């Protein structure tokens, strides 16, 4: 089985690559070749003995998509995107990469399908940014998509195109809407959502973290490990039960910042919690106001997708996967 | 006020043109210029004294959109589309016209906005084809869009782009999802939905009509006059209350075929009803199975959109508007 990962240099792409290499198989089929692509050349995965092609490419470039499908990967993980903030600032770039890039990929697959019956599994990462406030307390599987960012629009369009190309039989696609990934490893970043991870990751490493919102802010989370699990399940499950509805909100954990902090206290004690410094930021609070807080994800759960059930579990996963099992 | 109608040669486009010319104003502003565009050159409207530019153009051609906005129409009615059946058969043409054509129009407006602050009202006709079965008994304003045709996908994408360009301030747009238009004037056509009109229009004219489905089939209707009313209201209302949610399902009348027939009996008697010949067609029944049957359209109604409340009213409108007031 030949697997292509677009966006392989990102956090989720790297973790997905590492897990695929560690398992050596996907859905019971041995992984015989890997192709890793991103805007920067992805690093070579340690421990993979088969052929691994890696290169830098811009999916907005019309020449990229035909190259991506030229050797007919069996499974394509499409994680590549301009992130929300950048797509909001650079309207043309967001549409070029997130909408046109995705469409060009689907079109290249369709051309190969029509030429020789090629029909890969395509797993597309969408986002809860497809939803826009005002929300019900819990967003269910049939709630409408009214994004309030260009990024969110581009993701819904990707979902719709993927569904249509699947319905037509050109490919076998699924779009999974990831919760906010927590705890993101690495350095604190300037994304408006960064604090959800910062307030746990930094104190676990003995460092201070800034909390810009009140403790009653509620949000929707899943660990990086759960995100990789979603991708692998999406790549291997039978998609027939999805019918024509190929976009799914993934399970997650709804928690307040206060609940995050109490979980940190249980795992790492008062000393860790004391490193969180409240510093209210009205700009971040205004952005966070517009974000989903909770979901019912009955469809995805019935199809076998699983996320964490407590923030302690999310924190312990971070300690296992990032901190060598100890703090 | 300068008004541009894209798709002006179609049934709704012609009726909209006639009504605008008859009223001479839109939202209290005198109509000083009209531009009428379609894939065939629209006919000159009788009785319009101002400048009326008419030409044939393909909105899929990238040269068309800049020409459309070159003289900065204040209001753009975008009714142009490849219909559902054709978009399903000709995948490339459907996407080229319905998706790329719409996007190119929005992009040309954005370019003019960025050059000189141009910001027209754009009224885009969407369709209940944005919804795909299975449905609840009534589709509400927050039900998700999972189209089961490429046409439906292209219409949702148009809605999303229109909403994003509106949110960004490039234009002031609204997408209205029209019910099935009944009674369509003219000759019986081969559209799968044609029978809803045929079984009324033909008997009213003393002719036979074929009914391919059982009488308990329920569907969602509005008259051509109501559709024109929706367009004019959409062009003149304050869009601020819509917020970022610029797509609206229009009001309509949910009725079974049996109820249509009983209304025909009341208006035109048993003799007219006797002209309806049941001839079950499993292919049409299968298509109709996947169509919406009923809606709650509280949002549109609160915003002042109005449709008919009985099929007798729909039939009487046809008699008034198409048959000179008598049968």
């Amino acid at each position: 089985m030949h697997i292509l990962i677009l966006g392989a240099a990102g956090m989720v792409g790297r973790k997905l690559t590492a897990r695929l290499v560690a398992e050596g198989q996907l859905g019971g089929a041995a992984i015989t070749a890997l192709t890793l692509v991103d805007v920067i050349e992805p690093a070579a995965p340690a421990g993979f003995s088969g052929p691994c092609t890696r290169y830098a490419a811009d999916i907005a470039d019309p020449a990229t998509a035909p190259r991506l499908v030229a050797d007919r990967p069996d499974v394509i993980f499409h994680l590549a995107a301009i992130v929300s903030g950048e797509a909001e600032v650079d309207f043309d770039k967001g549409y070029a990469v997130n909408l046109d890039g995705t469409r060009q990929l689907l079109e290249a697959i369709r051309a190969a399908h029509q030429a020789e019956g090629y029909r890969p599994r395509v797993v597309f990462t969408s986002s809860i940014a497809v939803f826009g406030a005002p929300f019900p307390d819990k967003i269910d599987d049939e709630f409408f998509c009214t994004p309030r960012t260009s990024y969110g629009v581009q993701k819904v369009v990707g979902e719709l195109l993927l569904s249509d190309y699947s319905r037509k039989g050109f490919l076998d696609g699924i779009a999974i809407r990831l919760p906010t990934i927590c705890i993101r490893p690495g350095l604190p970043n300037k994304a408006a959502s960064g604090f959800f991870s910062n307030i746990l990751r930094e104190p676990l490493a003995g460092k201070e973290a800034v909390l810009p919102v009140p403790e009653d802010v509620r949000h929707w989370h899943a660990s990086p490990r759960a995100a990789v699990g979603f991708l692998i399940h999406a790549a291997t499950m039978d998609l027939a039960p999805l019918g024509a509805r190929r976009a799914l909100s993934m399970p997650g954990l709804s928690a307040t910042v206060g609940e995050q902090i109490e979980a940190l206290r249980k795992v790492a004690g008062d000393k860790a919690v004391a490193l969180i410094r409240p510093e209210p930021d009205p700009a971040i609070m205004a952005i966070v106001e517009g974000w989903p807080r909770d979901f019912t994800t009955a469809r995805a759960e019935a199809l076998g997708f699983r996320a964490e059930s407590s923030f302690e579990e999310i924190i312990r996963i971070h300690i296992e996967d990032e901190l060598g099992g100890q703090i």
Side-chain angles (χ1 to χ4, degrees), chain A residues 8 15 44 53 57 59 69 73 77 116 130 151 194 201 211 218 223 251 267 275 290 300 326:
Chain A
K15 286 187 177 288
T53 308
I59 60 167
V69 304
F77 291 100
E116 55 187 69
V130 298
Y151 172 83
R201 183 193 57 243
L211 174 61
R218 178 174 286 283
S223 74
V267 174
L275 290 165
Q326 56 192 28

Side-chain angles (χ1 to χ4, degrees), chain A residues 32 38 54 60 95 101 115 121 133 140 157 165 183 210 216 252-253 267 303 308 323:
Chain A
T32 52
D38 208 315
R54 299 173 292 120
Y95 274 92
R121 171 67 51 101
D140 71 22
V157 173
Y165 282 63
I183 301 172
V210 169
D216 64 355
L253 176 65
V267 174
L303 291 162
E308 289 81 16
L323 303 177

Side-chain angles (χ1 to χ4, degrees), chain A residues 78 98-99 102-103 106 124 126 130 151-165 174-175 247:
Chain A
H78 175 21
N98 296 348
L99 194 160
T102 297
R103 188 171 172 201
L106 301 182
F124 173 60
S126 187
V130 298
Y151 172 83
V153 168
Q154 292 145 14
K155 286 294 185 188
V156 190
V157 173
E159 292 182 358
L160 288 161
L161 295 177
L162 187 84
S163 295
D164 203 35
Y165 282 63
I174 176 170

Side-chain angles (χ1 to χ4, degrees), chain A residues 5 31 63 67 120 131 147 152 160 174 198 213 232 244 306:
Chain A
I5 304 177
I31 299 170
R67 182 178 176 195
F131 300 107
L160 288 161
I174 176 170
N198 299 346
V213 304
I232 288 179
R306 292 287 175 270

Side-chain angles (χ1 to χ4, degrees), chain A residues 109-122:
Chain A
I109 293 168
R110 179 168 77 105
H113 173 82
Q114 291 174 337
E116 55 187 69
Y118 176 57
R119 187 166 172 270
R121 171 67 51 101
V122 179

